[in-house]
Amino acid sequence: MKVLVAVKRVVDYNVKVRVKADGSDVDVANVKMSMNPFDEIAVEEAVRLKEAGKATEIVVVSMGVKQCEETLRTALAMGADRAILVETDTELQPLAVAKLLKAVADKEQPQLLIVGKQAIDDDANQTGQMAAALLGWAQGTFASKVDVAAETVDVTREIDGGLETVKLRLPAVVTADLRLNEPRFIKLPNIMAAKKKPLEKTSPADLGVDVTPRLKTLKVAEPAKRSAGIKVANAAELVAKLKNDAKVL
Amino acid sequence: MLTSPQLSALQAIIPAERIHCDADSLDRYGQDWTRYTRPQAAAVVFPLSIEEVQAVVRWANAQGVAIVPSGGRTGLSGGAVAAQGEVVLSFERMNRIDQFDPLARTVRCQAGVVTAALQAFAQEQGLLYPVDFASSGSSQIGGNIATNAGGIRVVRYGMTRDWIAGLTVVTGSGELLQCNLGLNKNNSGYDFRHLFIGSEGTLGLVVEATVRLCDPAPPSAVLLLAVPQLPDIMAVFHAFRSRLTLQAFEFFSDQALTHVLAARQAQPPLAERQPFYVLLECELPPSADDAPVLQAFEHCLEQGWVVDGVLAQSQQQARALWRLREGISAAITPRTPYKNDIAVVISRLPDFVSWLQALLARDYPDFEVLWYGHIGDGNLHINVLKPESWELEEFRHACEAVNKQVFALVAEFAGSMSAEHGVGLLKRDYLGVTRSAADIALMRGVKAVFDPNNIMNPGKLLRRAG
């Protein structure tokens, strides 16, 4: 079984981003970039499927600027077999990514497409779902457990207040949630070996996909600053404050 | 116990609500992270100003009461222990940060500023206070200065000493001194600042410090390497340092890792365990290209010094790797470890370590000995764990017997019996391992100049005369 995994290059989870002075976007100059954590979980799951003898080949794909190559090398070091970079400087929105994913999937014919449930930069949570719709495949979103059989895959989904297990016919799209697995540390010898693994470059034009943005960002603003706490003298004052100022009682 | 005239005289300078004599406070403020001495403080005072500190010192001189200066009490040598009826002077309430000078890149801190608060302040200014250690959330800048604290970035940024531009101190006789005035260049005679740094509260009290800040650290890579032979670690150090700027170079043994993994219920970072691990952090070139990191690793691999390794891919993974090293101390605390903190010149470290390993294996095969430390600075923390069935006293005596031999070896290699933890109470009787009789006699002379009535932390660092 061939598995296709999509990975996105995003600002590192631990970086505190700043909004640009003109409010047009966040400032990502000179900040640490890493693989989207949910995509890392997706790659890890694919590698575990291969280690368990269920997957035969793992292809990772990323879309965006040239530096996405580093993200793909990371996925290769984790255990993916080969990589595809759809290179473009155009800002990619979820629908464009989903269309590109469909084009790559049409070419590669995987049985399973695993993506992170969302990217931590735009938090759109759309790409996996839209790719499934465009491909006409079944989808198992917010997966916390993936069990692959010959013709089907059981996906345990994290839903409000519990878990839901669905059986999907292959090929299918799975989006990875936080509890699916814990990604491994990458061994240095594997990083060296990953530099020699095949990385193919293509472009939206080569794939015949128009990626022109259809959404316009109007404004980016920082969350409101929390104001400092106050001390109250007694319970009566506390109740009064909660009632009149905080209006929570 | 203070007599009632002593107490009323004290209450005349410090309001009663800032003098604590309850059993809970005396116990809490009477000790540091060492647990070998039973605290016996007479009182704890919380001054708010330099004037109050001076008044307490004058009171102590007049009444013949000893003072133990107290910061975050995270010390590991008993320097902040009050076990002889001393008055503990806590700087907890003197924690103001002010007078940030962006041009000189200095900031003034009162002694009670917590290290992490200073680090956060520097970060807000787009700068860095680079001295860092596992206890930075509790330790205070005054205590850092009094012990010349080191930590995990010494290999890159040096010790606390290197970051102090000026000090305000109250001497043991109650005089107020301004040492070095925050200057970069100041060749105007004896620099008392450096006498007070590392003096462990035996000369006086550090009340304020002007601290230097620097540029934030560039992007870095965090690696964990598996090393079969301890002496090879220095070859690994050389291989990486000759290609990259090291931010930290730490090591720990597989046994130490086992304790951390058990305490944190975590999985080992490398499935195949090796006897030793190096945790290193190095600065990356502006392009963030990791090629030199891989070159250094490849070289170590070819030489057989290293057999495997991982490279953190995100800050989250970097922190997870760091927790393996920083979590050791907390993980083994339940086993009341006997801590050693020794250092030799790094070029002599491989030989020293081979001898030490042989010595411990030959004479103390039954002890569980954990090795870790800031090996890039030649600094080893050797921790002996108390077997569950042993009594604390019995264990301590056995460790002191081991110590004699370890310190004989340290002396032979011209090393330090206390690299960064200070001398305090625990290491006092071993001071002669590193300092000559002439040194110690001069130290006593210096103490008598600044603290003529011997009220400042008596019995710490130097044994009481007579």
Side-chain angles (χ1 to χ4, degrees), chain B residues 439-459:
Chain B
D439 268 356
I440 295 172
L442 284 169
M443 281 162 81
R444 285 187 188 286
V446 170
K447 177 160 169 67
V449 169
F450 286 93
D451 177 29
N453 295 325
N454 195 27
I455 59 145
M456 287 310 307
N457 221 3

Side-chain angles (χ1 to χ4, degrees), chain B residues 166-215:
Chain B
L167 276 188
T168 306
V169 302
V170 173
T171 67
S173 49
E175 279 165 306
L176 190 67
L177 303 183
Q178 300 289 349
C179 310
N180 198 54
L181 311 163
L183 294 163
N184 256 345
K185 303 183 82 170
N186 176 24
N187 286 348
S188 58
Y190 306 142
D191 191 343
F192 295 147
R193 170 183 50 156
H194 287 300
L195 264 182
F196 277 83
I197 299 170
S199 64
E200 303 188 35
T202 59
L203 303 180
L205 297 125
V206 171
V207 287
E208 272 179 8
T210 303
V211 176
R212 292 187 214 283
L213 307 176
C214 66
D215 278 326

Side-chain angles (χ1 to χ4, degrees), chain B residues 103-363:
Chain B
L103 198 60
R105 288 187 160 184
T106 57
V107 64
R108 196 174 70 174
C109 299
Q110 287 186 310
V113 169
V114 171
T115 314
L118 173 59
Q119 289 166 342
F121 177 88
Q123 202 181 0
E124 280 164 29
Q125 318 306 322
L127 294 171
L128 176 73
Y129 179 64
V131 181
D132 194 20
F133 27 75
S135 62
S136 59
S138 313
S139 72
Q140 297 173 6
I141 196 74
N144 294 351
I145 292 166
T147 56
N148 187 24
I152 52 182
R153 311 258 169 211
V154 173
V155 73
R156 174 73 177 84
Y157 294 109
M159 309 274 278
T160 298
R161 184 184 300 282
D162 299 300
W163 297 91
I164 303 303
L167 276 188
T168 306
V169 302
V170 173
T171 67
S173 49
E175 279 165 306
L176 190 67
L177 303 183
Q178 300 289 349
C179 310
N180 198 54
L181 311 163
L183 294 163
N184 256 345
K185 303 183 82 170
N186 176 24
N187 286 348
S188 58
Y190 306 142
D191 191 343
F192 295 147
R193 170 183 50 156
H194 287 300
L195 264 182
F196 277 83
I197 299 170
S199 64
E200 303 188 35
T202 59
L203 303 180
L205 297 125
V206 171
V207 287
E208 272 179 8
T210 303
V211 176
R212 292 187 214 283
L213 307 176
C214 66
D215 278 326
S220 62
V222 177
L223 291 79
L224 185 80
L225 308 174
V227 184
Q229 302 283 337
L230 213 168
D232 288 343
I233 288 178
M234 292 329 287
V236 176
F237 178 68
H238 187 66
F240 276 87
R241 195 167 63 163
S242 57
R243 293 172 174 84
L244 295 143
T245 301
L246 293 175
Q247 278 264 339
F249 193 89
E250 301 283 311
F251 92 113
F252 48 89
S253 64
D254 191 52
Q255 274 166 306
L257 177 66
T258 302
H259 284 276
V260 176
L261 294 177
R264 310 190 73 95
Q265 298 179 330
Q267 292 299 311
L270 288 161
E272 270 182 50
R273 308 284 285 265
Q274 290 293 332
F276 297 97
Y277 302 94
V278 163
L279 177 67
L280 78 87
E281 183 161 349
C282 54
E283 292 174 12
L284 290 174
S287 60
D289 179 16
D290 61 8
V293 177
L294 295 178
Q295 276 169 16
F297 176 73
E298 216 169 351
H299 178 67
C300 294
L301 205 60
E302 279 163 8
Q303 300 293 324
W305 300 326
V306 164
V307 293
D308 206 348
V310 297
L311 173 64
Q313 297 298 313
S314 60
Q315 306 247 341
Q316 206 165 352
Q317 285 198 339
R319 286 183 194 183
L321 289 179
W322 264 111
R323 278 196 293 270
L324 298 176
R325 163 68 185 88
E326 295 195 308
I328 297 172
S329 203
I332 60 176
T333 299
R335 296 283 303 275
T336 12
Y338 191 86
K339 288 175 181 289
N340 254 310
D341 167 40
I342 53 185
V344 298
V345 172
I346 54 168
S347 44
R348 304 189 72 180
L349 202 65
D351 272 351
F352 174 75
V353 159
S354 302
W355 279 95
L356 188 56
Q357 277 183 313
L359 184 156
L360 293 171
R362 186 190 68 216
D363 291 349

